[in-house]
Amino acid sequence: MGYIYMDLSLKLYRNNEVFLDHGTTTLAAVNAHHFASLNESLTGEWKCVIEQKDLRLKWVTNYLKINVKKAPNLFTNLMEDKLTAPIFGWMKTETNVLIGIIMIVVLTVAIVAVFLVVYFKFCTLRRCKKGQVRNRRLEK
Protein backbone atom coordinates (compact mmCIF):
# COMPACT_ATOMS: atom_id res chain seq x y z
CA MET A 1 0.00 0.00 0.00
CA GLY A 2 2.87 2.32 0.71
CA TYR A 3 3.89 2.15 -2.97
CA ILE A 4 0.41 3.10 -4.22
CA TYR A 5 -0.74 5.69 -1.68
CA MET A 6 1.17 8.52 -0.04
CA ASP A 7 0.86 9.88 3.51
CA LEU A 8 -0.50 6.78 5.16
CA SER A 9 -1.05 6.78 8.92
CA LEU A 10 -1.07 3.69 11.10
CA LYS A 11 -2.97 3.24 14.34
CA LEU A 12 -3.08 0.23 16.62
CA TYR A 13 -6.42 -0.23 18.42
CA ARG A 14 -7.18 -2.33 21.47
CA ASN A 15 -10.89 -2.82 22.26
CA ASN A 16 -11.79 -0.01 19.83
CA GLU A 17 -9.56 2.49 21.64
CA VAL A 18 -6.33 3.85 20.19
CA PHE A 19 -3.44 2.00 21.82
CA LEU A 20 -0.62 3.35 19.65
CA ASP A 21 -0.73 6.06 16.99
CA HIS A 22 2.28 6.11 14.68
CA GLY A 23 0.93 9.08 12.76
CA THR A 24 1.80 9.66 9.13
CA THR A 25 4.72 7.40 8.37
CA THR A 26 6.05 4.83 5.98
CA LEU A 27 4.58 1.45 6.76
CA ALA A 28 7.91 -0.35 6.48
CA ALA A 29 9.26 1.72 9.40
CA VAL A 30 6.50 0.49 11.74
CA ASN A 31 6.12 -3.02 10.40
CA ALA A 32 6.12 -4.70 13.84
CA HIS A 33 5.41 -3.78 17.44
CA HIS A 34 7.14 -5.52 20.34
CA PHE A 35 5.80 -5.46 23.88
CA ALA A 36 8.33 -5.10 26.69
CA SER A 37 6.27 -7.39 28.89
CA LEU A 38 2.97 -9.21 28.62
CA ASN A 39 0.29 -8.85 31.26
CA GLU A 40 -3.45 -9.34 31.53
CA SER A 41 -4.19 -5.73 30.58
CA LEU A 42 -3.23 -6.54 26.97
CA THR A 43 -6.17 -8.94 26.64
CA GLY A 44 -8.76 -7.89 24.08
CA GLU A 45 -9.49 -7.31 20.42
CA TRP A 46 -6.60 -5.77 18.52
CA LYS A 47 -6.66 -4.29 15.06
CA CYS A 48 -4.24 -2.42 12.88
CA VAL A 49 -5.84 0.40 10.89
CA ILE A 50 -4.17 2.23 8.01
CA GLU A 51 -5.68 5.52 6.87
CA GLN A 52 -5.17 7.78 3.88
CA LYS A 53 -6.71 11.03 5.14
CA ASP A 54 -6.75 13.00 1.85
CA LEU A 55 -8.80 10.34 0.03
CA ARG A 56 -10.68 9.28 3.21
CA LEU A 57 -9.69 5.65 2.82
CA LYS A 58 -9.35 3.26 5.75
CA TRP A 59 -8.13 -0.33 5.86
CA VAL A 60 -8.05 -2.85 8.68
CA THR A 61 -4.97 -4.89 7.88
CA ASN A 62 -4.81 -7.13 10.95
CA TYR A 63 -7.39 -8.23 13.50
CA LEU A 64 -6.47 -10.38 16.48
CA LYS A 65 -8.32 -11.50 19.56
CA ILE A 66 -5.72 -11.98 22.30
CA ASN A 67 -6.23 -13.56 25.71
CA VAL A 68 -3.21 -13.07 27.98
CA LYS A 69 -3.42 -15.41 30.93
CA LYS A 70 -1.70 -14.80 34.23
CA ALA A 71 1.56 -16.57 34.93
CA PRO A 72 1.30 -19.87 36.78
CA ASN A 73 1.84 -19.64 40.51
CA LEU A 74 2.55 -22.20 43.24
CA PHE A 75 -1.04 -23.48 43.30
CA THR A 76 -1.16 -23.98 39.52
CA ASN A 77 2.19 -25.78 39.63
CA LEU A 78 0.90 -28.08 42.39
CA MET A 79 -2.12 -29.00 40.23
CA GLU A 80 0.01 -29.69 37.14
CA ASP A 81 3.18 -31.28 38.56
CA LYS A 82 3.47 -35.05 38.06
CA LEU A 83 4.36 -35.67 41.69
CA THR A 84 1.59 -33.58 43.31
CA ALA A 85 -1.11 -33.91 40.64
CA PRO A 86 -2.70 -36.99 42.28
CA ILE A 87 -3.28 -34.94 45.43
CA PHE A 88 -4.10 -31.50 44.02
CA GLY A 89 -4.99 -32.10 40.35
CA TRP A 90 -8.66 -32.84 40.93
CA MET A 91 -9.24 -29.60 42.90
CA LYS A 92 -9.76 -27.56 39.68
CA THR A 93 -9.17 -24.05 41.16
CA GLU A 94 -6.31 -22.36 42.97
CA THR A 95 -8.59 -21.45 45.89
CA ASN A 96 -9.37 -25.12 46.47
CA VAL A 97 -5.64 -25.94 46.40
CA LEU A 98 -5.00 -23.23 49.02
CA ILE A 99 -7.76 -24.65 51.22
CA GLY A 100 -6.29 -28.14 50.76
CA ILE A 101 -2.80 -26.96 51.77
CA ILE A 102 -4.22 -25.25 54.86
CA MET A 103 -6.11 -28.42 55.80
CA ILE A 104 -2.98 -30.56 55.37
CA VAL A 105 -0.91 -28.20 57.55
CA VAL A 106 -3.60 -27.98 60.26
CA LEU A 107 -4.04 -31.76 60.25
CA THR A 108 -0.28 -32.34 60.49
CA VAL A 109 0.12 -29.87 63.37
CA ALA A 110 -2.85 -31.43 65.19
CA ILE A 111 -1.46 -34.96 64.81
CA VAL A 112 1.98 -33.87 66.06
CA ALA A 113 0.38 -32.05 69.03
CA VAL A 114 -1.71 -35.11 69.97
CA PHE A 115 1.31 -37.41 69.85
CA LEU A 116 3.36 -34.96 71.95
CA VAL A 117 0.61 -34.76 74.56
CA VAL A 118 0.31 -38.54 74.65
CA TYR A 119 4.08 -38.95 74.89
CA PHE A 120 4.57 -36.43 77.71
CA LYS A 121 1.50 -37.59 79.62
CA PHE A 122 2.05 -41.34 79.51
CA CYS A 123 5.65 -42.08 78.56
CA THR A 124 7.64 -39.64 80.67
CA LEU A 125 5.54 -39.92 83.84
CA ARG A 126 5.74 -43.73 83.93
CA ARG A 127 9.51 -43.62 83.90
CA CYS A 128 9.57 -41.23 86.83
CA LYS A 129 7.13 -43.36 88.84
CA LYS A 130 9.04 -46.57 88.22
CA GLY A 131 12.28 -44.96 89.32
CA GLN A 132 14.07 -45.26 86.01
CA VAL A 133 14.99 -41.60 86.02
CA ARG A 134 16.97 -40.69 89.13
CA ASN A 135 18.39 -37.55 90.50
CA ARG A 136 22.09 -38.33 90.97
CA ARG A 137 22.64 -35.40 93.33
CA LEU A 138 20.37 -37.00 95.89
CA GLU A 139 22.12 -40.39 95.77
CA LYS A 140 25.24 -39.22 97.66
Side-chain angles (χ1 to χ4, degrees):
M1 272 194 271
Y3 296 111
I4 300 171
Y5 298 102
M6 299 294 292
D7 300 328
L8 295 175
S9 67
L10 186 136
K11 292 181 183 177
L12 193 59
Y13 288 87
R14 184 188 73 213
N15 297 328
N16 295 322
E17 295 178 7
V18 176
F19 179 78
L20 185 63
D21 185 1
H22 289 285
T24 303
T25 183
T26 59
L27 299 181
V30 290
N31 190 17
H33 182 76
H34 298 280
F35 295 102
S37 65
L38 289 176
N39 55 33
E40 293 177 20
S41 68
L42 298 175
T43 296
E45 297 177 356
W46 289 78
K47 61 183 169 180
C48 180
V49 178
I50 298 175
E51 293 182 64
Q52 211 298 330
K53 293 180 182 176
D54 295 338
L55 300 174
R56 295 186 184 126
L57 297 173
K58 187 185 260 189
W59 299 274
V60 176
T61 58
N62 288 331
Y63 178 85
L64 298 169
K65 193 171 186 178
I66 298 176
N67 184 16
V68 180
K69 296 181 179 181
K70 65 180 180 175
N73 56 18
L74 171 71
F75 307 121
T76 307
N77 289 334
L78 285 173
M79 287 189 292
E80 296 174 353
D81 188 56
K82 288 181 183 178
L83 182 65
T84 57
I87 300 169
F88 298 107
W90 60 272
M91 293 187 179
K92 302 294 182 205
T93 64
E94 295 170 355
T95 306
N96 293 342
V97 173
L98 175 63
I99 292 169
I101 290 172
I102 291 171
M103 296 296 286
I104 289 170
V105 169
V106 167
L107 186 65
T108 304
V109 169
I111 290 171
V112 168
V114 166
F115 280 112
L116 284 174
V117 167
V118 168
Y119 175 77
F120 285 120
K121 184 162 183 139
F122 297 111
C123 296
T124 58
L125 291 178
R126 286 185 182 169
R127 276 200 242 158
C128 291
K129 288 180 181 177
K130 291 181 179 179
Q132 293 176 355
V133 177
R134 298 180 202 160
N135 191 344
R136 294 183 184 196
R137 284 186 254 158
L138 297 175
E139 290 180 2
K140 291 182 181 180

